[in-house]
Amino acid sequence: MADIVLVTVQGGGHFNTGMLFAKKLASQGCRVTVLLPWLNPSGMTTDIANIEMRALMESTPSPRPAFIFPGVRKSRPDLVPSSRFPTALPDSLRKHLDVLRPKAVVLDRMVMFWASQTVEERGIPKYILYTGASAHLAVMLSFHGPSRSGNVDQDMQSVVHVPGLPPLRWAELPLDVVVKSHGIYLGKEGVAKHFVHSNGILLNTSEELEGPILDALHCEYPEIRCISIGPLYPSSYLQDDRPSEEDIRGTAVSIGKNSEDSTALVSWLDKQPTASLVFICFGSFIVLGDEMIRELAHGLESSGFRFLWSLPSPRNEEPAAYLNRVLPPNFVERTSGRGKILTGWVPQQLVLSHPAIGALVSHCGWSSVVECIMLAGVPILAWPFLGDQLPTCRHLVDEYKIAVDIGVDGVPSADDVERGLRAVMEDQELRNRAKQRRKLVRQAALSTQPGSSGHNLADFISSLAG
């Protein structure tokens, strides 16, 4: 039984993907120790066999100020940059590795900057888990990869050509790649060396999700070993038309969130016609500004479509008061016969696996995109904000043609929203392509053929036991 250490962070997509990866390893007999910089005040626990969670620091530090983006009220304020602890985290990691003596260490890309040297000093095989889209990796390497100049001082109106991606406008590039004043600007970190000196980059993707991008990465950067192992979900998600609530709970980790009653939610979904609902969800990080919410509400109401809207209320405001403040007057009453608004944490996988879902309005966070394609097979109305969301949007819209974009150039109007909703709900060719993409992704994840993500994951796990 191989002992593996996974070092990750609390951020939603990073943590959730890391735990899915840990569960894949554990299901194959590996013992996995998940190391987090610190545990949330509410605690993070798991009862999954062969997985143990530990904190590198005993106390939770004060949160950093929230990120602010144009038109966005705030993002989650409870994330703390590891750069504030330049010695404490590596020292703690060193002590854990000396005790655990793992067969390999897998580092989330967000921790590799401070953790890589410690792992390399111990001579332990090191892998990087890239939880975001490979589109982000492609953009980053095109600027800061091996033999790249790192020059980001380009004309803001220019078109950027990244191998494997459709042409990108400057506004569609991730800020951490091109903005030198960004808090985690990658150009100053010598980012390429972390990839070149690793045993491989583990990508939560597949040829069927990002084929042209993966091909370009292999061609452009032969010195970096890119291993596609996604999507990292249990086989029950891929074999059945609809995973059970027990399957979905089996992937979950308790993080103390105020969650919606899944039984009541499923009961409500069961009463909706097939493929009739627009599901609106922007993940756990982005919180829409008030103007955005009102334009979205007006467009949604004008469209006439049924909807399920995840609209989390702030921690310091009662849900009813929040909805009354940010939504158009009497919106809830006027749409109560065809819509439902949820102010608590929503089990997204449970919702997307339900046949009532007809489209997803999303920020294009990679976990949300993968779950939408894999579970629902429905089009996406893309409203990206930052990071890998922007190039992912272009990939889905221009390359695979399973999404329609709004909001890239600021706050979309209610008319923009309505037009986008009609496109994703009524364009049959768009809907057919999304359904076909779902079939291809599922087949690849279950495949044992060389080159498939299923084979790559099995090969990685077997190599740890050697």
Side-chain angles (χ1 to χ4, degrees):
M1 180 181 288
D3 289 302
I4 311 299
V5 166
L6 168 65
V7 189
T8 186
V9 294
Q10 276 87 342
H14 295 273
F15 179 73
N16 293 338
T17 302
M19 290 306 299
L20 287 170
F21 176 65
K23 188 167 187 280
K24 283 281 190 181
L25 297 178
S27 69
Q28 298 300 311
C30 297
R31 284 191 296 260
V32 185
T33 301
V34 179
L35 298 179
L36 293 156
W38 40 78
L39 297 182
N40 282 355
S42 56
M44 282 185 167
T45 60
T46 179
D47 57 3
I48 301 172
N50 290 338
I51 298 179
E52 179 186 2
M53 299 178 65
R54 299 184 183 183
L56 290 170
M57 298 183 68
E58 294 182 0
S59 60
T60 304
S62 301
R64 66 180 172 185
F67 283 127
I68 301 295
F69 303 100
V72 180
R73 174 165 56 85
K74 66 177 182 178
S75 64
R76 286 185 55 183
D78 56 347
L79 304 176
V80 185
S82 58
S83 58
R84 284 173 49 183
F85 306 91
T87 59
L89 288 172
D91 288 347
S92 181
L93 175 61
R94 190 174 295 111
K95 293 175 183 177
H96 278 85
L97 295 181
D98 288 345
V99 171
L100 294 168
R101 303 180 67 83
K103 190 79 173 181
V105 176
V106 179
L107 304 176
D108 184 280
R109 73 173 180 89
M110 294 298 288
V111 308
M112 67 183 182
F113 300 109
W114 60 263
S116 285
Q117 183 176 346
T118 300
V119 178
E120 292 166 6
E121 289 172 351
R122 295 298 185 269
I124 305 171
K126 178 192 73 177
Y127 295 84
I128 307 299
L129 180 62
Y130 213 92
T131 57
S134 296
H136 181 275
L137 177 62
V139 174
M140 185 270 295
L141 289 176
S142 72
F143 284 95
H144 308 299
S147 303
R148 296 306 195 267
S149 67
N151 178 28
V152 297
D153 297 319
Q154 297 189 15
D155 180 2
M156 296 292 285
Q157 303 302 316
S158 65
V159 174
V160 180
H161 296 279
V162 175
L165 278 166
L168 300 171
R169 292 180 298 129
W170 192 265
E172 295 170 321
L173 296 176
L175 296 179
D176 57 354
V177 172
V178 298
V179 177
K180 293 180 179 180
S181 61
H182 193 276
I184 53 172
Y185 173 60
L186 297 174
K188 65 183 178 184
E189 299 284 0
V191 64
K193 69 180 181 182
H194 296 286
F195 298 136
V196 173
H197 295 159
S198 74
N199 291 69
I201 308 177
L202 304 172
L203 300 164
N204 183 30
T205 191
S206 67
E207 285 285 340
E208 290 67 29
L209 283 168
E210 296 183 286
I213 302 170
L214 291 173
D215 292 343
L217 288 172
H218 292 308
C219 180
E220 296 284 326
Y221 313 103
E223 64 270 64
I224 298 176
R225 186 184 177 205
C226 294
I227 310 168
S228 56
I229 58 170
L232 289 168
Y233 289 89
S235 57
S236 59
Y237 278 49
L238 308 167
Q239 294 170 322
D240 304 325
D241 288 337
R242 181 178 172 187
S244 67
E245 290 185 57
E246 289 72 24
D247 289 332
I248 291 172
R249 289 195 187 100
T251 68
V253 176
S254 173
I255 55 176
K257 288 182 177 178
N258 175 29
S259 61
E260 296 288 338
D261 182 344
S262 60
T263 301
L265 178 57
V266 170
S267 177
W268 184 83
L269 288 168
D270 287 342
K271 298 173 184 176
Q272 311 306 313
T274 299
S276 65
L277 284 174
V278 175
F279 178 38
I280 305 160
C281 187
F282 289 89
S284 59
F285 191 81
I286 294 294
V287 182
L288 297 184
D290 294 356
E291 181 185 1
M292 290 179 169
I293 291 173
R294 282 188 282 272
E295 291 298 321
L296 179 53
H298 284 305
L300 190 61
E301 185 173 9
S302 298
S303 74
F305 294 116
R306 297 170 182 263
F307 66 89
L308 176 65
W309 190 350
S310 173
L311 187 55
S313 58
R315 296 175 181 175
N316 60 351
E317 191 169 3
E318 287 296 319
Y322 172 65
L323 295 183
N324 185 61
R325 178 174 62 81
V326 299
L327 290 171
N330 301 316
F331 174 84
V332 173
E333 292 78 8
R334 291 196 304 272
T335 60
S336 62
R338 60 181 174 90
K340 187 177 184 67
I341 298 177
L342 304 175
T343 57
W345 180 79
V346 175
Q348 179 171 282
Q349 297 168 23
L350 189 66
V351 173
L352 287 173
S353 65
H354 198 283
I357 301 303
L360 173 67
V361 180
S362 173
H363 60 311
C364 287
W366 188 237
S367 294
S368 295
V369 167
V370 173
E371 289 174 6
C372 181
I373 294 174
M374 181 189 65
L375 292 174
V378 298
I380 297 172
L381 184 57
W383 190 344
F385 291 89
L386 71 155
D388 62 353
Q389 302 162 17
L390 298 157
T392 294
C393 171
R394 285 274 61 80
H395 174 67
L396 297 175
V397 173
D398 295 342
E399 181 67 35
Y400 284 164
K401 296 179 172 57
I402 58 173
V404 174
D405 64 314
I406 58 173
V408 174
D409 296 311
V411 180
S413 68
D415 289 341
D416 294 331
V417 172
E418 182 181 354
R419 279 193 295 269
L421 290 172
R422 294 197 181 284
V424 295
M425 290 295 285
E426 297 175 348
D427 186 331
Q428 197 56 49
E429 291 187 4
L430 184 73
R431 301 186 64 78
N432 289 341
R433 285 193 294 270
K435 193 66 68 178
Q436 178 63 16
R437 187 59 50 183
R438 172 180 182 261
K439 179 180 179 181
L440 293 173
V441 168
R442 288 183 166 211
Q443 289 174 343
L446 292 170
S447 175
T448 58
Q449 294 297 314
S452 69
S453 56
H455 179 272
N456 292 343
L457 179 61
D459 187 60
F460 168 75
I461 293 174
S462 64
S463 71
L464 300 177

